[in-house]
Amino acid sequence: MARIITDECVSCGTCAGDCPVEAISMGDSQYEIDPDKCIDCGACEGSCPTGAIVEAE
């Protein structure tokens, strides 16, 4: 299952740079993960300095 970015996101962009499939982009107010592109590798989750990326339920 894809991951999601919570409201803890500070829009630093680290996750987008670490995503190997470019599934993360800037949304209206913070970064968002495209669930159709996400391969659930976890690279973004490990790189987020605020812990804002979690597994979707």
Side-chain angles (χ1 to χ4, degrees):
M1 180 163 278
R3 287 166 164 63
I4 59 169
I5 300 177
T6 68
D7 290 338
E8 299 298 315
C9 177
V10 295
S11 299
C12 69
T14 302
C15 59
D18 288 344
C19 180
V21 294
E22 299 180 355
I24 303 173
S25 61
M26 187 64 186
D28 291 336
S29 61
Q30 69 184 37
Y31 280 84
E32 299 175 342
I33 299 174
D34 181 339
D36 294 327
K37 290 183 179 179
C38 179
I39 59 171
D40 202 28
C41 68
C44 59
E45 187 175 358
S47 70
C48 180
T50 62
I53 302 173
V54 297
E55 288 186 40
E57 294 180 10

